[in-house]
Amino acid sequence: MASLPPVFPTLRMRFILLRSSGWRGFPQRLDFREPMMEQRHQPRKGSSESARRFWRRFGVTLLCMGMAFIPLMTGCNDYPLKRLVVKNYTEITKTESLAAVKAVDILFVIDNSGSMEEEQAKLQRNFEAFINELVSKDINDYQIGVITTDMADPSQGGRLQGKTVKIINGQTMSKAVVIQNFKENVIVGTTGTSYEKALDAMKRALSPEMIGKGKPNEGFLRDGATLAIIFVGDEDDCSNNGSIRENEVSSDVCRIPSDKVLLNDQGDPELGNDGKPQRGQLENLIPVKSYIDFLKGLNRKVVVGGIIGNPLVYKNEKEKVLIDPEGGCQKDIECFNGSVEHRCVYIDPKTTKCGGCSVTENGTKFTVAPGFRLFDIIKEFGGESNWFPICGNDAGFKTALLDFAGLIIQSFDRINLERKPAGDQSVLVQVVNENNEVTSKVEKAPASDTPCTSDNDCSGGGLCAAVSLTGAADKKCHGNGWVLEAALGDAQGAVLRLSGEASKLIEPGYKVKVVYVVKNE
C-alpha cells in the first residue's frame, strides 16, 4: 500500500491496524460491518467477477474516506480526547508541556482560617525534608512563595506573604536561609475568613494584576519555569460568583445545593444573621474547569498536589475499595470505615460522596470537610495519588512533602498518561511548537544490553527503564527516543519520558503530543 501523507499520522496507524492481523491485543479481524455493506451492494445475478471486485473496492474506499475525516472533525485539544472506538479499543490524544530548563516556581496556598494552627506548624516542622529532596536531585533553580486562602483581606487576596522576603530564591540564598525564611512565611495565622477561596487566591496570585511589572508578586512567575502548586487546607474551596451573602450565612452553604437548608445538631434549620434559614449555595461556586483553563493558558508545565480533607474514603485500603454506597451516601454514619469518621457531602447538586477525615487537637475533635474541588484540579495536573490527608501526623506531612518534591523532580521529563497504552505499537509521539505544528517525530528508544538501576548508570542522557510495560521488570539503559514506564504508586496509567538526544528536542513553548490506544475497561 502506498505511504500516506504525514498530515494523517493517526490514519496511517489505523491502516496498519486494519491490515495487520498480528497486532498485539486486537482481534484477527476488525468488524466494520462488511457483511451489511456486501448485502447492500450485492451485484445482480450473472454479474462478472470484475463487477464484484468493483463493489468490494468501492466499499473499502468509502470506509477509508470516512476514517480520513475523523482527525479533521476532532481537531487538536490539550485534553485527553476519544477519537476512534474499535471493538474494545479507544484512541486518546494528550498534548503537554515539558520543561526546557530545570527551573521551578513553587506556590504554597495555605488555609489561614481559625482551625489551621497545628497544620501550619506541621508544615513548618517538615519543610526541611522537602528542600533536601529537591537539592539532592540537583534542583537548585527554584523560587517559593506563600499565599493564603483569604480573599477578603486586601493585604492578602493573592499577595505573596512574608516577614523578611516574599520570594524565596534557591539560587541567591543558602539552603539554611531558604529554610529559615519559609518557616517564617508559612505561619500565616488563623484569623482569615471561613470562606476559604484557595482557587480564587491561586488565580489572582498568578494573574497579570499581581505578576506584572511593579505589581506585588513581580518576579515570581518566570518564563520557561515549571509551576508547582501545593494546596494545604482543612476545608474545600468556596470561590463563588459573588452572589453569596458571606456576612450573613455560614460558609457551610458552599457544600449543599439550593434546594436544601443547613440543619443544626437537633435537625432544625440553621438561621443566618438575617434570621432566615440558610439555603445552599453550591450552584453559585465558580466551576473548577475555569481554573484548569486558566492554568493551561499559562503555557508552561504545571504540577499540583495537596494536603487536604480526604476526597476518597476506602473501606478496604489494601484493595482500594471505596466505601460509598451505591447511589451515594445519605448520612455521615454511612461513611464510617470502622476506624475514622468521615462526612457525607455533595460533590454536585445531585450527587453525594464520602470524604473528609477526623483529627483531635488540644482535646477537641474536628471532622474535616473533603477537598473535592481541590482534588479535581490535583487530578488534572498531578494525578489521583498526589494528595495526602490534612488530618495526618508529622510523619504524614513529611511523607506528603517528600512526594511533592518527587512530583516536581519528575515533572521536568515526564508526561503522565491517565490510561496504560495497549502496546508500544499503538503509541505515536511528536513534538509540536506554539502553533501546534509538528517539529519532530520521536520513535521508541531502543533498549541496550546494559543493565541499570537508575538514569545515572546510563551514558549520553539515556534513561534507565524496563524494556516494556508488560514484560520483565529488569531495567536496561535506553538510547534516543521515548520510553514508557509504569505509573508511580497506586496510579493506573503510565509515564512517558524522552531519552538521550530526544530530550533536547524541547524548546521553550514546545509541547509533546502523544496519541495512543487503550483497551476499554
Side-chain angles (χ1 to χ4, degrees), residues 428-453:
L428 173 72
V429 180
Q430 297 171 321
V431 177
V432 298
N433 61 18
E434 298 93 329
N435 299 320
N436 207 35
E437 299 167 337
V438 177
T439 61
S440 306
K441 180 181 177 182
V442 185
E443 302 292 344
K444 180 184 177 183
S448 70
D449 295 327
T450 306
C452 58
T453 57

Side-chain angles (χ1 to χ4, degrees), residues 510-521:
Y510 281 23
K511 296 183 178 181
V512 177
K513 182 178 181 180
V514 185
V515 183
Y516 61 106
V517 174
V518 300
K519 187 171 183 179
N520 296 336
E521 297 176 350

Side-chain angles (χ1 to χ4, degrees), residues 84-126:
L84 175 67
V85 179
V86 181
K87 287 280 187 179
N88 297 323
Y89 296 84
T90 300
E91 181 183 291
I92 296 176
T93 298
K94 182 165 188 178
T95 306
E96 188 170 313
S97 300
L98 281 180
V101 294
K102 289 189 175 182
V104 59
D105 300 325
I106 307 167
L107 182 66
F108 282 84
V109 185
I110 300 176
D111 184 350
N112 66 328
S113 62
S115 56
M116 282 292 295
E117 181 178 3
E118 182 55 32
E119 287 71 21
Q120 292 173 23
K122 292 175 188 175
L123 198 59
Q124 182 189 58
R125 290 194 292 266
N126 294 283

Side-chain angles (χ1 to χ4, degrees), residues 159-308:
R159 290 173 177 258
L160 294 176
Q161 304 295 298
K163 296 178 180 179
T164 305
V165 295
K166 291 179 170 55
I167 299 179
I168 301 171
N169 191 305
Q171 288 192 308
T172 62
M173 301 176 184
S174 68
K175 187 172 72 171
V177 173
V178 166
I179 294 171
Q180 181 58 39
N181 282 323
F182 183 84
K183 287 185 173 182
E184 291 180 359
N185 293 359
V186 74
I187 305 300
V188 291
T190 55
T191 60
T193 174
S194 62
Y195 275 83
E196 291 98 326
K197 299 178 182 178
L199 297 181
D200 255 0
M202 174 270 297
K203 181 178 180 180
R204 188 158 190 259
L206 302 173
S207 297
E209 62 182 300
M210 285 290 177
I211 291 293
K213 187 173 179 59
K215 303 298 183 180
N217 299 346
E218 179 186 359
F220 177 72
L221 199 60
R222 298 172 294 169
D223 291 340
T226 293
L227 172 64
I229 302 170
I230 301 173
F231 294 103
V232 183
D234 62 1
E235 286 288 342
D236 203 359
D237 172 74
C238 193
S239 301
N240 62 79
N241 57 18
S243 61
I244 301 179
R245 297 170 291 120
E246 296 182 9
N247 293 329
E248 298 180 7
V249 296
S250 163
S251 60
D252 288 339
V253 297
C254 297
R255 319 286 169 239
I256 60 174
S258 58
D259 61 348
K260 307 290 183 183
V261 296
L262 282 181
L263 302 177
N264 58 26
D265 294 340
Q266 289 71 43
D268 299 321
E270 190 79 40
L271 303 182
N273 294 338
D274 57 0
K276 298 178 181 179
Q278 300 185 52
R279 191 163 293 279
Q281 301 289 330
L282 183 61
E283 292 88 341
N284 287 320
L285 300 188
I286 298 172
V288 174
K289 184 180 182 301
S290 68
Y291 299 102
I292 291 174
D293 291 343
F294 167 77
L295 290 176
K296 285 181 178 290
L298 295 177
N299 294 319
R300 65 187 62 233
K301 180 78 174 183
V302 179
V303 293
V304 182
I307 305 177
I308 58 177

